[in-house]
Amino acid sequence: MTQTSEAAAVEETRSPGGFRIHRAWFVAAVTFVTIIGAAAFRSLPGLLIDPLHQDFGWSRGTIGAAVSVNLALYGLTAPFAAALMDRFGIRRVVAVALTVIAVGSGLTVWMTAAWQLMLYWGLLVGLGSGSMALAFAATVTNRWFTERRGLVTGILTAASASGQLIFLPLLSWMVEKHDWRPAAITVALAALAVVPFVWLLLRDHPADVGLKPYGATEFVPKPEPVPGAARRAVTVLFKAARTGPFWLLAGTFAICGASTNGLVQTHFVPAAHDHGMPVTAAASLLAVIGVFDVVGTIASGWFTDRFEPRRLLAVYYALRGISLLFLPMLLAPSVHPPMLFFIVFYGLDWVATVPPTVALCREQYGEDSAIVFGWVLASHQVGAALIAFLGGVARDVFGTYDMVWYASGALCAAAALMALVIRRRPAVPAPAPGLATA
């Protein structure tokens, strides 16, 4: 069978009702499930701070430093992982990454010193999770979709929130009722459970199964493996770093990471516990953020396909900053309506910034956009790591998180202004009238 006839034979999968479903949607579904399974490790750091402090006597700053290493590597690994996916394929990179996460999380059960927390949770889980970062979703979207890219990006980004929704209440219950060690083992098993799905069901490129990308009018051959993954990642960074939009995108996304993963995901539970709220109640509020995060991120993807991404980013950051300024006044021993309003409002905005940021990377940097987004994501995680550490230090020094909430709100206002000044990529000039009619 020729490549053309094979493509015609398998380009679409027919459902029992006769509705044709492009294979790209099945790949997106497997990616979604993979990110959900890997999201368990994202749910645990905020739950570990108080138990590790009580068990080992480590300061919150020390524990926050380990979380910072994890968050920083989550971002710094992403661009190299995107390049490795171009070299070795998505399946191999993601399967290895999940295995590394499982090993790192499992080893924490036997740790006795703070440096082991740095090594197991900081280094191993950080490296593994970095290879499962949003650059993975961006690579799948760029390869398999020509249309609906914003929507698919939103759906895959929401998968992380869905995983948080699934695992956070369970892990918080384990930590409170049985200790933190069963929770760490659960994270390891969840990562391992996803590996067979990745290996058996995920495909690297539409051409592997004789398909055109969804929405494409022409068949796209699979590109040859790109050697020198690390060199390419660094080369793309140096090339992008010579442009102004890269630094604006990196700066806004650093603030995004600082105000979400670094601050709320890491310190919301202990901050609420400081005000007398039970850990399970605070963790449940984070899970509710995950519910509305799914809605907000998918909606953001839909908006990104239709509206100017720069303006969307400015609105998202401005609203997030306002909500963080009010949070210190809302923390209390029990859950009350104003706190629920904050949770809903903040959840809708949690990672709504991802689809327009990916769209701007694609607009500015074309075929290198997944790697560029990996570097932009690295800045996101560096910002998260910095606030995760400084938030713990601030709590140790001042006995409260209030200063960190206010500072993050002000940073979000700066991010809104930065988003508005990102220049648009010049459009290709239209042909002269005389040439158009020739």
Side-chain angles (χ1 to χ4, degrees), residues 289-301:
I289 285 179
V291 175
F292 289 94
D293 182 12
V294 173
V295 177
T297 307
I298 294 176
S300 178

Side-chain angles (χ1 to χ4, degrees), residues 113-150:
W115 68 265
Q116 293 170 327
L117 178 65
M118 294 279 189
L119 176 62
Y120 301 151
W121 193 263
L123 180 63
L124 292 180
V125 176
L127 289 174
S129 61
S131 300
M132 287 291 302
L134 292 173
F136 168 43
T139 301
V140 171
T141 303
N142 288 348
R143 290 185 181 184
W144 281 89
F145 291 86
T146 298
E147 295 181 354
R148 303 288 189 270
R149 280 176 166 174

Side-chain angles (χ1 to χ4, degrees), residues 21-37 136 140-141 144-145 152 155-156 159 194 197-198 201-203:
I21 303 174
H22 193 283
R23 178 68 175 268
W25 293 107
F26 290 101
V27 172
V30 173
T31 304
F32 186 89
V33 172
T34 303
I35 296 174
I36 284 179
F136 168 43
V140 171
T141 303
W144 281 89
F145 291 86
V152 174
I155 292 172
L156 296 182
V194 180
F197 289 93
V198 171
L201 301 177
L202 195 62
R203 292 295 178 267

Side-chain angles (χ1 to χ4, degrees), residues 388-402:
F389 172 67
L390 292 179
V393 172
R395 172 61 178 81
D396 288 334
V397 174
F398 301 109
T400 178
Y401 285 102
D402 287 359

